[in-house]
Amino acid sequence: MPDAEGGAEQWAVRASVLIALLLAIGYGLLAGGVREFCLDDAWIHLAYAKSLRLGEGLSYNPNDWETGFSSPLWVVVLAAWPSDANPVVSVKLLGALLHAATAGLAATLALELARPRASEGDPSDANRMWRRSGPIPLASITGFAGLLTATSPTLLQGASSGMEVSLSAVLLLACVLACVREQWLLAAITAGLAELARPEFLAFIAVFATVLALGRRQPRALLAIVGAAIGLLAWVAYCQVVSGWPWPNTAYLKVGQPDLASASAYLQAQVLPDQPWLIGLGGVVLIAAALVADLAPDRDAVRRFDLLALVAAYVLALLATALSRPLDPAVLIYQSRYFAIFAAVPLVVVALGLARLHRVLALVVLLPIVLVTGIALPHALELQRAQERGVALLHGGPARFVRRELASDAVIAVEGAGALRYHTPRSMTIVDIVGLNFAELAHAPTDADKACVLVHRQPGWFVLPDHIAAALAKVFVLRPVEAFVDPHWAQITEPREVRVWLLAVEGVQPKWQARCGAP
C-alpha cells in the first residue's frame, strides 16, 4: 500500500507538470493573437542577451556596457537559450517549460509539507463535522497544489510575457523546498540565484528563513539569507564597476519614497483581484484551516512553523515590493509583474488546508475557486492578446519601419527602447530617452539637464508617443514622418488610443542651443 500511495503522489506531480506545460503553450502560443510579447521590456532583456551572445558583453548598444536590466540571470538564460531573429516563439516556449517546473515544484513542496502531518490524526476529530478525520490524502494535496499553480492566470501571463517571472517563481520554490528539506547549501545557492533573477526576493527570503530558524530552532536556515545577500552584493558590485553606481539604471528611475497608501491601493486594485483563491474566498478558508491546525496549542512537538513562515513571507514580501517603488493603480502588467513571482506561494498553503477540512466542506470551499479560475482565465487571455497587439503596433511597427527606411548609421532616440534596439542593425545607435539604458541620462539631476544630455547626443530621429513628443518639441525642431497607432492601448485599466511618431530632427531650438552650449 505505501508504494501505491507513493506512486499516486508522484503521478500527481507529473500530471501537474504536464497540465501546466500544455496550458502555458496554449495560452502563450496557440490561442490566437499575434506573435509578440505583452511588454516591450521583454525585448530589452533580449537586446542585452543578443549583445552577450555576440561577444559585446552586457551592452545595450554594442560595447556600451549599460545596466538597463533588473534581472541579470534572465539575460544570461536568454543568451544561452536558442533563438533566431524573431525569438517570440522560442522564448514563450522557455516560459512554458519554466511554468511547468513551477507547478511541479509547488506540487512537490505541498507533498513535502504534508508528509510530516500525515500521521497526526486526532481521533476526536471524527466527532467534528467541519474537520477531516482519518489519514491525510497526500495525492490529493499534491495534485491540488500543482493544479492551482498550473491554472493561475497571473503565472500563465508571466510565463508568456518574455520576462523573468517564471524563472523567478521556479527559483523561489526551489529555495523554499530546500529549506523545508533542510538542504541548507542548496537553499543558499538557490536564494542567491533567485536574487539575481529579481531583487524583490530578499524580503521574502529574509522573513521566511528567519521564522523557520526560530520555529525549528535551526539557525542554519539563515544560510538562505546569506545566499540571497551574496547574490545581491554580486549584482551591486557589477553595477558599481560597470557604471560607477551601485544599482542598475532602473533602480534610480523607478524607486520612490515608501507610501503605504499607494502601496495598499495598488495591491487592492491590480494584484489581489487576480488571485482566484482569494476572490473566491475558499482559499482564505483553506489557509486559515491550515494555519489553525499547525499552530493549535495542543499540537505535538513536531510543529515546524513552515506554513506560518510561508504566509508571513508572502504577505510581507508583497508589502515590501509595493513600498519599494511608485505605483499607479491604473497600470496593469508593467507593474503587477513585480508581484507575480510570489503567486505560487499561497497556493501551496491553500492545498495544505484541504487536509484539515471535512470532505464535504472542502468541496464547498473549492467550488468558488474553480469557478473564479474558469472566469478569470479567458479574461486574462483576452487582455494579454490586446497588450501584445499594442506592443506589435507601437514598438514592432516602428522598429520594422526604421530598419527598412533609415540609414544604417542613424542615431535614434526612443521611448520604449526594446523592440527597436533588438530589430534594428547594430550599426544604428538607439538612445533611450527615459534613461533605463542610458546611465548619463538616468543620473542627470533635473529635466533641463536631461534635455541637454539629449541635445549633446545629437539624435537624427525620435520615436515618441504624443505627450513626450510635445515636450521635446520645446527643445528640438521636429518634423513628423510617420505615425503608428494603437486605438485600444491595453496597458492601463481604461484603454485609450495611443499614437507613436517617427520624427526627424531638423535642429535644436535656439534657447536650448544656447542653454546647453550645443554646437
Side-chain angles (χ1 to χ4, degrees):
M1 179 64 75
D3 290 340
E5 290 177 355
E9 295 148 18
Q10 292 307 312
W11 276 109
V13 173
R14 294 175 191 134
S16 300
V17 171
L18 180 59
I19 291 170
L21 180 61
L22 294 176
L23 279 174
I25 291 174
Y27 189 98
L29 294 171
L30 302 179
V34 296
R35 291 291 171 87
E36 188 51 271
F37 300 116
C38 60
L39 282 173
D40 182 63
D41 286 44
W43 291 108
I44 294 178
H45 285 84
L46 281 163
Y48 281 96
K50 176 190 277 190
S51 293
L52 188 59
R53 200 162 48 242
L54 293 174
E56 297 165 351
L58 290 170
S59 303
Y60 180 67
N61 291 297
N63 298 308
D64 64 6
W65 289 83
E66 287 287 353
T67 58
F69 51 96
S70 55
S71 181
L73 185 62
W74 183 237
V75 172
V76 172
V77 169
L78 290 176
W81 184 253
S83 59
D84 52 23
N86 190 359
V88 174
V89 173
S90 64
V91 173
K92 285 191 174 185
L93 179 58
L94 172 60
L97 292 170
L98 289 168
H99 180 64
T102 303
L105 282 168
T108 303
L109 177 59
L111 175 60
E112 194 72 24
L113 291 168
R115 273 181 175 145
R117 297 158 173 82
S119 60
E120 296 172 6
D122 183 351
S124 64
D125 286 350
N127 298 320
R128 301 181 188 180
M129 292 302 296
W130 62 279
R131 296 173 76 174
R132 179 185 295 272
S133 60
I136 288 179
L138 294 180
S140 298
I141 292 171
T142 303
F144 186 47
L147 187 60
L148 279 177
T149 305
T151 58
S152 166
T154 298
L155 291 172
L156 281 168
Q157 184 175 33
S160 61
S161 67
M163 300 296 288
E164 69 283 351
V165 174
S166 292
L167 174 65
S168 302
V170 164
L171 289 169
L172 178 62
L173 291 180
C175 179
V176 170
L177 182 60
C179 287
V180 169
R181 290 175 170 173
E182 299 190 354
Q183 297 170 330
W184 305 122
L185 178 59
L186 180 59
I189 292 171
T190 51
L193 292 174
E195 192 63 24
L196 290 172
R198 279 306 311 176
E200 290 84 0
F201 275 123
L202 186 60
F204 180 95
I205 292 171
V207 175
F208 176 75
T210 300
V211 175
L212 206 64
L214 294 173
R216 292 193 178 189
R217 295 176 180 161
Q218 178 55 272
R220 285 188 294 174
L222 300 177
L223 285 173
I225 302 176
V226 174
I230 290 172
L232 180 61
L233 288 174
W235 179 221
V236 167
Y238 173 85
C239 292
Q240 184 70 48
V241 169
V242 168
S243 69
W245 297 86
W247 303 107
N249 299 338
T250 55
Y252 298 97
L253 295 167
K254 294 182 179 181
V255 174
Q257 294 296 321
D259 183 346
L260 186 59
S262 64
S264 175
Y266 192 84
L267 290 172
Q268 292 179 53
Q270 299 299 343
V271 178
L272 301 179
D274 289 335
Q275 313 309 314
W277 65 267
L278 179 62
I279 298 304
L281 296 180
V284 177
V285 174
L286 289 167
I287 288 177
L291 288 177
V292 167
D294 263 30
L295 300 177
D298 59 348
R299 298 260 309 164
D300 60 25
V302 302
R303 180 165 30 174
R304 296 183 172 194
F305 294 92
D306 304 321
L307 303 188
L308 177 64
L310 281 174
V311 173
Y314 173 74
V315 172
L316 292 176
L318 290 188
L319 187 58
T321 300
L323 289 171
S324 69
R325 66 196 74 234
L327 296 169
D328 183 346
V331 175
L332 302 179
I333 187 175
Y334 182 75
Q335 293 179 343
S336 66
R337 64 193 166 99
Y338 303 133
F339 307 90
I341 57 181
F342 306 113
V345 173
L347 305 180
V348 173
V349 185
V350 166
L352 268 293
L354 188 68
R356 299 302 180 184
L357 296 182
H358 189 278
R359 290 178 178 83
V360 175
L361 183 56
L363 289 175
V364 170
V365 298
L366 283 178
L367 182 59
I369 300 176
V370 173
L371 291 176
V372 172
T373 301
I375 294 170
L377 277 174
H379 173 73
L381 179 60
E382 180 183 2
L383 178 61
Q384 179 156 331
R385 289 297 178 260
Q387 292 167 343
E388 290 172 351
R389 285 191 295 272
V391 173
L393 291 168
L394 300 180
H395 299 277
R400 290 188 295 272
F401 187 92
V402 164
R403 182 180 61 202
R404 185 175 66 247
E405 301 294 336
L406 301 191
S408 61
D409 62 349
V411 178
I412 309 160
V414 305
E415 188 277 333
L420 220 125
R421 174 63 283 173
Y422 188 88
H423 290 299
T424 52
R426 307 294 289 168
S427 54
M428 286 184 175
T429 299
I430 308 300
V431 180
D432 175 13
I433 68 160
V434 176
L436 296 177
N437 306 283
F438 189 7
E440 185 181 359
L441 194 63
H443 296 288
T446 67
D447 288 343
D449 292 318
K450 293 178 188 294
C452 287
V453 170
L454 285 175
V455 167
H456 285 285
R457 202 68 177 82
Q458 297 182 324
W461 306 84
F462 279 106
V463 177
L464 303 172
D466 276 328
H467 66 289
I468 298 180
L472 285 177
K474 299 174 183 178
V475 181
F476 296 89
V477 180
L478 303 175
R479 174 174 56 84
V481 175
E482 189 72 21
F484 307 87
V485 182
D486 178 4
H488 197 77
W489 189 61
Q491 296 289 348
I492 53 177
T493 52
E494 296 184 7
R496 58 181 173 83
E497 179 179 290
V498 170
R499 188 181 304 267
V500 168
W501 291 94
L502 173 63
L503 304 160
V505 179
E506 298 188 335
V508 179
Q509 300 288 359
K511 171 186 173 182
W512 284 94
Q513 191 170 23
R515 182 170 185 171
C516 299

